[in-house]
Amino acid sequence: GQTDIPNDLVNPVAVSTSQYHTCAIDDNGVQCWGRNQYGQTDVPALSNPVQVSAGINHTCAIDDNGLQCWGDNQLGQSDVPTLSNPVQVAPGGGHTCALDFFGVQCWGVISEGSVNVPMPALSNPVQIISGSNHSCAIDDNGLQCWGINNTGETVVPALSNPAQVSIGDSHICAVDDNGVQCWGNNGWGQTDVPSLSNPVQVSAGTDHTCAID
């Protein structure tokens, strides 16, 4: 039911999609629909939400009171730590990352075998995004990614002033001064970037990629 948009949305202004559920912000706050196995579409009380983001089986939103997450919490991905004025949230599979006044904080688990993958040191991060088993951040040094690296998806190539990044299932794409670059798993051609003219946005799906140019 993730594509069955409810009829009672009023002036929706934001939407976030995951594999099996979707959430939107409208005049009445946050609404979610689709799979609810872990309570990921059971929206708690929120006060003036400004951002919602659907993870694999959990959901997070930023409102007047800070950050709230709900749904699957088997690995602690919905246990929000103390944050200072969070402005971005990026829920993944078994982990969640957020950008607040002090930088990027992540909680839950990204594991490579039995070893939890640490987050690298970041300098003035401005964007954070998560996939099921990865996260990336843009900071003063460019783009840094961490997490499971079975197909080279966290080995970032040389980029020139990356402005936007998107994570698929096991591939990552970014927009920089030279256009769109993608790396990682290419079993379905998802990293074979076609000829593009001044691309401004890229979005990585599970095993495919789209861009606006």
Side-chain angles (χ1 to χ4, degrees), residues 37-121:
Q37 181 181 2
Y38 298 96
Q40 60 265 49
T41 67
D42 293 332
V43 182
L46 299 170
S47 175
N48 298 316
V50 295
Q51 184 187 353
V52 64
S53 187
I56 300 301
N57 289 310
H58 70 296
T59 308
C60 297
I62 296 174
D63 71 352
D64 286 347
N65 297 311
L67 175 63
Q68 295 193 52
C69 296
W70 61 94
D72 188 12
N73 196 36
Q74 297 179 78
L75 297 174
Q77 62 265 54
S78 296
D79 289 333
V80 181
T82 300
L83 300 171
S84 177
N85 297 320
V87 293
Q88 289 183 33
V89 61
H95 75 291
T96 303
C97 294
L99 177 62
D100 73 352
F101 179 79
F102 294 104
V104 172
Q105 294 195 52
C106 297
W107 56 96
V109 175
I110 307 177
S111 62
E112 185 81 69
S114 59
V115 179
N116 193 31
V117 177
M119 183 181 72

Side-chain angles (χ1 to χ4, degrees), residues 19 71 157 194 210:
Q19 288 180 312
C210 296

